[in-house]
Amino acid sequence: AEYGPTGARLRRACKNSGIPLFVHFHGSDATKRARSPRWRRHYRRLFRDTAGVIAPSQFIAARLRTLGCADAKLFVSPCGIELPKQGKGLQHAKSFLAVGRLVEKKAPLNTLRAFAQVAEADDEVVLEFAGNGPLMDDCQNEAHRLGITKRVRFLGAVPHQTVVALMRNARAFVQHSVEASDGDCEGLPVAILEAMGHELPVVSTRHSGIPAAISDGETGLLVEEHDVDGMAEAMLSLLNDPARAEAMGRAGRARVEAHFTHTHTAARLREIMRLTP
């Protein structure tokens, strides 16, 4: 069952039918949703009856443990990606890329504020935002307030092929993930893994499962949540040192190839659910 609430709804039917139920949590279901006493009760029954509970990161696993899931039933398996046939190679475009829904836990306003400092230091750099969401108007207004409307492109929702093209022409990928005011958290964002697969260095935050993928200083740069100045400094360092950005991109692709492909995910899930021969 994908997501905790789906597992909770299937729990009784699976129990009565003698069908082993494995439930894959992903992020908001273990954080934002778990603030509700009603869902905490459902989850306790689910943890009692399920054969296994799968989390995408140690961070989410810890949240599930706190909610009452026994260690014996708890497994960590990050999502994977289909590795691109080749990386992007070194690109000289002074472009940063952000991909994802414009929602609080992805903190696009923090990304804009960090980029404004970068734009002040470099007359050519631009920021591409691919994605839509409830914060679109706030983001556009903030870009206007910061005086960077001509340096930021809000692309809205775009096809995956467009995302691939953007990744092949960016200097680095940026995502300032945070815990939202309603408790919503990431698991391990797939967009970050896809960027790494395209040999993009990543500037992000020490949030949830992100540090499991990004080795700070090796495959990207990590800052604390809400550290706008730190994010701007990290972006500038990659902008001003394309050779370092290229080396981080290569290391990131190698890390994805070794740990975060669909093949790795499928093998982990078969082992967790005892489906191996």
Side-chain angles (χ1 to χ4, degrees), residues 33-53:
R33 184 86 64 151
R35 287 192 171 189
S36 161
R38 171 174 170 263
W39 280 107
R40 289 199 298 272
R41 289 194 300 271
H42 281 304
Y43 286 171
R44 284 194 292 271
R45 298 186 189 109
L46 174 64
F47 297 151
R48 179 194 66 205
D49 294 337
T50 190
V53 174

Side-chain angles (χ1 to χ4, degrees), residues 1 4 10 15 17 21 26 29 33 46 48 68-69 75 78 85 101 115 122 140 156 159 178 190 223 225 238 252 273:
L10 290 171
K15 181 181 179 182
S17 304
L21 174 62
H26 287 278
D29 47 359
R33 184 86 64 151
L46 174 64
R48 179 194 66 205
C69 185
F75 304 90
K85 288 184 171 57
R101 294 190 65 236
F115 175 73
D122 189 290
Q140 292 176 330
V178 302
V190 171
V223 301
E225 295 183 22
L238 295 180
M273 293 188 285

Side-chain angles (χ1 to χ4, degrees), residues 187-188 205-216 219 222 255 260:
L188 172 53
T205 50
R206 294 182 179 91
H207 171 83
S208 189
I210 293 172
I214 299 172
S215 179
D216 188 27
T219 63
L222 296 176
R255 184 160 178 78
F260 297 105

Side-chain angles (χ1 to χ4, degrees), residues 202-272:
V202 177
V203 178
S204 192
T205 50
R206 294 182 179 91
H207 171 83
S208 189
I210 293 172
I214 299 172
S215 179
D216 188 27
E218 180 184 350
T219 63
L221 298 170
L222 296 176
V223 301
E224 299 302 325
E225 295 183 22
H226 303 291
D227 183 1
V228 171
D229 292 344
M231 186 177 194
E233 183 179 345
M235 293 168 70
L236 270 171
S237 72
L238 295 180
L239 182 66
N240 294 331
D241 193 345
R244 186 187 186 205
E246 181 186 18
M248 284 186 174
R250 288 196 304 267
R253 180 179 169 89
R255 184 160 178 78
V256 168
E257 191 170 7
H259 301 287
F260 297 105
T261 67
H262 284 322
T263 300
H264 291 101
T265 300
R268 281 193 298 266
L269 293 177
R270 282 195 295 268
E271 182 177 358
I272 289 167

Side-chain angles (χ1 to χ4, degrees), residues 10 56 68 90-91 123 155 180 197 245-246 275:
L10 290 171
L90 178 61
Q91 295 289 336
D123 292 335
L155 305 173
E246 181 186 18
L275 298 176

Side-chain angles (χ1 to χ4, degrees), residues 70-261:
D71 280 338
K73 292 186 175 183
L74 191 55
F75 304 90
V76 174
S77 177
C79 293
I81 64 163
E82 182 177 350
L83 191 72
K85 288 184 171 57
Q86 62 182 19
K88 71 179 185 68
L90 178 61
Q91 295 289 336
H92 295 283
K94 292 185 174 183
S95 171
F96 289 95
L97 174 65
V99 177
R101 294 190 65 236
L102 302 181
V103 295
E104 186 183 355
K105 70 178 177 181
K106 295 185 184 295
L109 294 173
N110 283 350
T111 300
L112 284 170
R113 291 162 188 156
F115 175 73
Q117 296 184 35
V118 178
E120 187 175 352
D122 189 290
D123 292 335
E124 299 177 359
V125 67
V126 297
L127 172 64
E128 310 263 20
F129 253 113
N132 210 333
L135 293 182
M136 175 62 87
D137 288 344
D138 290 343
C139 287
Q140 292 176 330
N141 290 336
E142 184 69 0
H144 179 75
R145 185 188 73 80
L146 293 166
I148 55 174
T149 51
K150 293 183 179 180
R151 311 284 288 278
V152 180
R153 285 209 306 160
F154 294 102
L155 305 173
V158 297
H160 187 258
Q161 305 94 293
T162 302
V163 172
V164 170
L166 291 166
M167 286 184 173
R168 292 186 62 79
N169 287 284
R171 176 65 56 84
F173 186 89
V174 290
Q175 183 164 324
H176 197 109
S177 295
V178 302
E179 181 169 354
S181 57
D182 61 5
D184 195 5
C185 292
E186 306 270 18
L188 172 53
V190 171
I192 285 178
L193 298 177
E194 290 181 337
M196 293 170 69
H198 283 282
E199 293 190 14
L200 271 180
V202 177
V203 178
S204 192
T205 50
R206 294 182 179 91
H207 171 83
S208 189
I210 293 172
I214 299 172
S215 179
D216 188 27
E218 180 184 350
T219 63
L221 298 170
L222 296 176
V223 301
E224 299 302 325
E225 295 183 22
H226 303 291
D227 183 1
V228 171
D229 292 344
M231 186 177 194
E233 183 179 345
M235 293 168 70
L236 270 171
S237 72
L238 295 180
L239 182 66
N240 294 331
D241 193 345
R244 186 187 186 205
E246 181 186 18
M248 284 186 174
R250 288 196 304 267
R253 180 179 169 89
R255 184 160 178 78
V256 168
E257 191 170 7
H259 301 287
F260 297 105
T261 67

